[in-house]
């Protein structure tokens, strides 16, 4: 082949390859995001995590988000809507949302952000090798409910220990059973108030007050997250010390929180999305468990309740809100 022919052939190859490369670099990844609670800090942290990895909305990233605001009956329709939107991956926050998305698709990759135990709930085969189309992060930690109970006993020497639980939250029963088991070992009485809707929360506090509970453990739930300001106000109204499960609860006015760093989890989920975009299979990505557990104490709420926080708790606190 003559030199001119070689140059023409090379030029033809470049003419073909350059548009292909441009098309690849212009790829806009579509992410579905669904949460059982309200839009809040964890969604913003996820977007921050995506930006840190080089994904920006309007350039190479499009987000389709759905928020159930604690009304779990919305989730099946929202999940189906995301699946029909032809997203590349769906990020799920809350166990009820995961259940809805799992029913809606078995092919689109699913990244769990803040959910309970996916193995115990039957969503994946194991944490090490989840199989199927689900991977991500899990809040599974059987020691936490026992710790919530321990902290509650340090805040009140008079039983019963109150528990506020969302009846439709899949993890609630297990948490209640664990707390009651710990209580029975020490001969401590507990009283549980289950609610199914937000308008039942005030009545639940009334029930706990009639049972003479002076401390309440507020179990994790997307509905409670959506109503956290109201829950904090009701706890103050009924003069109850409150134990919750994440820093944002203490920041909202509950007395004490002990649990995983949800914001760190939210950012970490972005790394799973990035790996899937780059070709990783969800079935082969191990599901991670929490490594950052934080104790937060709201001294403003303590003063409003007229409580003195035990010194040993203040020393252990990772965050003190004053």
């Amino acid at each position: 082949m003559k030199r001119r022919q070689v140059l023409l052939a090379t030029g033809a190859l470049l003419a073909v390859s350059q548009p292909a490369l441009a098309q690849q670099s212009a790829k806009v990844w579509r992410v579905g995001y669904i949460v059982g609670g309200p839009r809040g800090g964890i969604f913003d942290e996820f977007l921050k995590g995506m930006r840190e990895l080089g994904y920006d909305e309007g350039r190479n990233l499009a987000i389709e988000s759905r928020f159930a605001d604690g009304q779990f009956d919305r989730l099946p329709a929202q999940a189906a809507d995301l699946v029909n939107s032809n997203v590349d991956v769906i990020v799920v926050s809350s166990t009820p949302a995961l259940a809805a998305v799992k029913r809606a698709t078995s092919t689109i990759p699913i990244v769990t952000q803040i959910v309970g135990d996916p193995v115990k709930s039957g969503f994946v085969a194991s944490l090490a090798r989840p199989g199927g189309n689900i991977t991500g992060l899990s809040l599974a930690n059987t020691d936490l409910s026992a710790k919530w109970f321990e902290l509650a006993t340090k805040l009140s020497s008079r039983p019963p220990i109150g528990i506020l639980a969302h009846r439709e939250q899949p993890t609630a029963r297990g948490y209640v059973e664990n707390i009651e088991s710990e209580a029975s070992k020490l001969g401590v009485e507990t009283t549980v108030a289950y609610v199914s809707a937000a308008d039942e929360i005030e009545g639940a506090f009334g029930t706990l007050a009639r049972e003479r509970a002076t401390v309440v453990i507020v179990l994790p739930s997307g509905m409670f997250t959506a109503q956290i300001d109201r829950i904090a106000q009701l706890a103050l109204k009924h003069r109850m010390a409150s134990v919750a499960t994440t820093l944002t609860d203490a920041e909202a006015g509950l007395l004490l929180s002990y649990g995983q760093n949800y914001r760190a989890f939210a950012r970490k989920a972005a790394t799973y999305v990035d790996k899937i975009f780059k070709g990783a299979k969800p079935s082969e990505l191990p599901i991670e468990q929490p490594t950052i557990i934080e104790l937060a104490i709201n001294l403003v709420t303590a003063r409003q309740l007229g409580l003195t926080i035990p010194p040993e708790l203040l020393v252990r606190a990772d965050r003190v809100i004053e």
Side-chain angles (χ1 to χ4, degrees), residues 258-313:
Y258 183 81
Q260 299 91 348
N261 186 320
Y262 281 11
R263 289 169 181 154
F265 255 48
R267 292 191 300 274
K268 183 70 173 179
T271 65
Y272 278 82
V273 174
D274 178 54
K275 289 175 183 178
I276 290 170
F277 286 168
K278 292 175 178 174
K281 296 179 180 179
S283 60
E284 298 175 359
L285 290 175
I287 293 174
E288 293 187 34
Q289 291 184 283
T291 56
I292 304 175
I293 308 295
E294 297 178 330
L295 172 64
I297 299 172
N298 191 318
L299 290 184
V300 177
T301 301
R303 287 193 292 270
Q304 290 174 318
L305 290 170
L307 288 178
T308 300
I309 301 298
E312 66 267 25
L313 290 186

Side-chain angles (χ1 to χ4, degrees), residues 181-196:
S181 175
E182 291 298 315
S184 66
K185 295 175 185 177
L186 300 177
V188 176
E189 183 184 353
T190 60
T191 181
V192 186
Y194 282 102
V195 299
S196 297

Side-chain angles (χ1 to χ4, degrees), residues 33-35 38-49 57 63-67 93 113 266:
Y33 186 96
I34 183 169
V35 58
R39 172 173 178 150
I42 58 170
F43 178 65
D44 296 334
E45 289 294 328
F46 170 71
L47 293 181
K48 179 180 178 182
E57 284 188 274
I63 301 286
E64 288 283 341
S65 56
R66 303 291 184 273
F67 306 97
S93 187
Q113 185 183 44

Side-chain angles (χ1 to χ4, degrees), residues 111 113 115 117 135 145 186 202 229 233 238 250 258 278 308:
V111 172
Q113 185 183 44
V115 302
D117 188 338
T135 188
S145 54
L186 300 177
E202 186 168 359
D229 292 335
Q233 292 167 4
H238 291 283
Y258 183 81
K278 292 175 178 174
T308 300

